[in-house]
Amino acid sequence: MIRMPSQIVTLMKPNIAWYVVVTALALSFMGVMVIGTVSPTLASDQSRWVVIALVGMVMCVLPHPKQLSVIAMPAMVITLALLVLLLLPGIPTWLVRPRNGARSWINLVFMDFQPAEMAKIVFVMALARYLRRRDSYRTLIGLLIPFLIMFIPVGLILKQPDLGSALLFPPALFAMLLAAGAKLRHLTALLSIGILAIVVNVAIIALDPPVISPNGRILPHPPATRWMHVLKPHQEARIAASISQFKGEKTYSRTTGYQQETAMMLSGAGGVLGMGDRSEVILRYNWLPERHNDMIFSIIVNRWGLVGGLVTMFLYLLLFYAFIVVAARSKDPFARLTTVGFAALLFTQATINVAVNIGLMPITGITLPFISYGGSSLLATFMMVGIVINFASRPPEMLARPSFEFDNREAIFQ
């Protein structure tokens, strides 16, 4: 009698993995449809990326979690080498293709590959491997290595520059440290420092906003105050535009704030049920930059209205819930921490994108997972899905021994 592999047997039973698969496919199908509103050609390309991404997902379902744990660190080193390659001077443009002033893509002929997308995956896996059986991070000094594992890829990504991708790493780090048992008071102190730094920078920009010429050029700050500004001029201009919008002013409405204001207008025009096929006409006469990428949520709301926006957010919440259930049921520390990291990445990315589109945050250049146009991002998100399905399809007894069994569990809150 032929015995079926235990992984297939587990998947044939009621399994939370199917929630992950169905939700990811529903979001991807929605993405192809809404991209078709923008451009049928881009929608055709996105359909092809979905097929490639599904192949990548299946490939990630097959290896045993122990094998994934072993390759985590080597994959991290390779990805860091690719991030360095992007920044090396003299690299020909046929290999590294700058876009909008950022050196973030490598030409692979059949697709433009973005190493930052892979960096998110290998960062989470490498950090999970480091944290899986250690308790050194339960001291403040012991947090240095986890933060170093994060700062190396984040620093290289910021040099491209790609602030949007870099913003996703800290939430994943904090979520994984919390799940691993780091002390809450240490994480709260570090988080407070980060929030304080953000508040100070926003206050400086509000008091000394960048000046933009009529042709859209951002003028440098005067020497007397230039030392206070740590962000790049275009990043400060985006924050200043958001502050202006909150105040109800139109100072940046025709320059830096045009993209976000147009996205908000298109979202509002969708009403409750959306404009349906009329969205194509509306978009034709209301130009929205990056409407197939960063601003795709406003197109969803314009076409399907408030209902479409709520359905989209519900699907993300369902995906996040499924990830957390997989993490909670896993007895393997590597699987548990990796799933928590992926959940934090995707949830943060979706939340920031939606917030930007409805005017609650300045533009950061973050795409909407599964929905925004792009091969690298879609492949990376489906690889995360495949790895989580891998963990969910393994019987608990096949994985590693339980971890995080401290003598004093309550010490986490000290």
Side-chain angles (χ1 to χ4, degrees):
M1 181 177 179
I2 299 176
R3 185 177 181 181
M4 296 182 67
S6 58
Q7 189 178 13
I8 297 178
V9 173
T10 304
L11 286 175
M12 290 176 66
K13 300 176 182 178
N15 195 302
I16 193 67
W18 293 111
Y19 284 85
V20 177
V21 174
V22 172
T23 306
L25 289 175
L27 288 167
S28 300
F29 178 71
M30 179 182 292
V32 172
M33 290 185 65
V34 75
I35 290 172
T37 303
V38 176
S39 167
T41 301
L42 293 180
S44 177
D45 291 342
Q46 187 74 352
S47 300
R48 178 164 55 92
W49 297 132
V50 170
V51 174
I52 295 175
L54 288 173
V55 174
M57 180 189 76
V58 173
M59 295 298 292
C60 290
V61 173
L62 300 178
H64 193 277
K66 291 181 180 178
Q67 296 174 318
L68 293 176
S69 177
V70 169
I71 67 172
M73 290 299 182
M76 181 75 167
V77 173
I78 294 172
T79 304
L80 291 177
L82 292 176
L83 291 173
V84 171
L85 175 66
L86 291 170
L87 304 176
L88 292 177
I91 300 296
T93 54
W94 63 263
L95 180 59
V96 175
R97 294 182 173 177
R99 293 181 186 174
N100 299 325
R103 295 170 59 89
S104 303
W105 292 268
I106 296 176
N107 177 22
L108 297 182
V109 181
F110 66 94
M111 71 177 295
D112 285 344
F113 173 69
Q114 189 174 9
E117 293 292 341
M118 293 299 110
K120 293 186 291 187
I121 297 177
V122 298
F123 157 71
V124 168
M125 293 173 61
L127 184 61
R129 178 171 174 80
Y130 174 78
L131 296 176
R132 73 194 193 284
R133 292 197 190 102
R134 289 178 171 85
D135 60 3
S136 58
Y137 46 82
R138 290 176 55 75
T139 65
L140 195 58
I141 298 298
L143 292 174
L144 288 177
I145 293 181
F147 272 82
L148 181 63
I149 294 175
M150 180 192 72
F151 282 136
I152 293 175
V154 165
L156 293 172
I157 292 171
L158 286 173
K159 291 290 291 183
Q160 294 179 5
D162 184 0
L163 177 62
S165 295
L167 286 175
L168 301 178
F169 286 73
L173 172 66
F174 275 82
M176 293 174 70
L177 286 172
L178 186 61
K183 291 184 178 179
L184 192 59
R185 62 187 178 94
H186 292 162
L187 298 180
T188 302
L190 294 172
L191 183 62
S192 300
I193 294 173
I195 293 175
L196 179 61
I198 294 173
V199 171
V200 169
N201 276 280
V202 172
I204 290 173
I205 295 170
L207 295 173
D208 185 27
V211 178
I212 301 179
S213 64
N215 62 0
R217 181 173 175 268
I218 303 174
L219 303 179
H221 290 284
T225 60
R226 194 175 301 168
W227 62 273
M228 298 189 303
H229 299 268
V230 297
L231 296 177
K232 294 184 180 298
H234 73 278
Q235 295 167 349
E236 288 197 342
R238 289 173 176 177
I239 295 174
S242 289
I243 295 173
S244 177
Q245 288 173 6
F246 277 121
K247 293 180 178 179
E249 302 171 351
K250 299 293 182 181
T251 308
Y252 300 91
S253 61
R254 293 188 178 275
T255 53
T256 309
Y258 169 80
Q259 184 179 16
Q260 192 167 41
E261 287 203 9
T262 304
M264 294 167 61
M265 182 271 293
L266 290 172
S267 298
V272 176
L273 299 177
M275 307 193 70
D277 294 337
R278 291 178 296 163
S279 287
E280 297 182 15
V281 179
I282 297 297
L283 293 174
R284 194 177 305 144
Y285 294 101
N286 293 272
W287 174 251
L288 176 62
E290 302 298 331
R291 51 189 175 177
H292 60 297
N293 282 329
D294 306 348
M295 317 310 290
I296 194 75
F297 184 76
S298 63
I299 310 302
I300 292 175
V301 180
N302 184 264
R303 178 169 179 173
W304 293 309
L306 176 64
V307 172
L310 292 176
V311 168
T312 304
M313 289 187 283
F314 170 77
L315 289 174
Y316 282 116
L317 289 174
L318 182 60
L319 184 70
F320 178 73
Y321 164 78
F323 274 40
I324 296 303
V325 170
V326 173
R329 291 179 178 177
S330 177
K331 294 183 179 181
D332 177 18
F334 173 77
R336 184 189 309 172
L337 293 174
T338 299
T339 305
V340 168
F342 288 163
L345 278 173
L346 294 178
F347 182 76
T348 303
Q349 185 173 349
T351 301
I352 292 178
N353 182 275
V354 171
V356 166
N357 275 264
I358 61 178
L360 296 180
M361 287 184 64
I363 293 176
T364 54
I366 289 180
T367 57
L368 194 58
F370 300 102
I371 294 180
S372 291
Y373 176 81
S376 290
S377 60
L378 195 63
L379 177 61
T381 48
F382 267 101
M383 287 177 66
M384 294 183 199
V385 166
I387 293 171
V388 172
I389 295 172
N390 188 331
F391 298 152
S393 65
R394 303 285 177 175
E397 63 271 16
M398 291 182 63
L399 301 183
R401 68 178 185 275
S403 66
F404 315 135
E405 302 297 336
F406 302 112
D407 293 335
N408 185 6
R409 263 292 193 172
E410 290 74 18
I412 187 175
F413 297 104
Q414 294 179 0

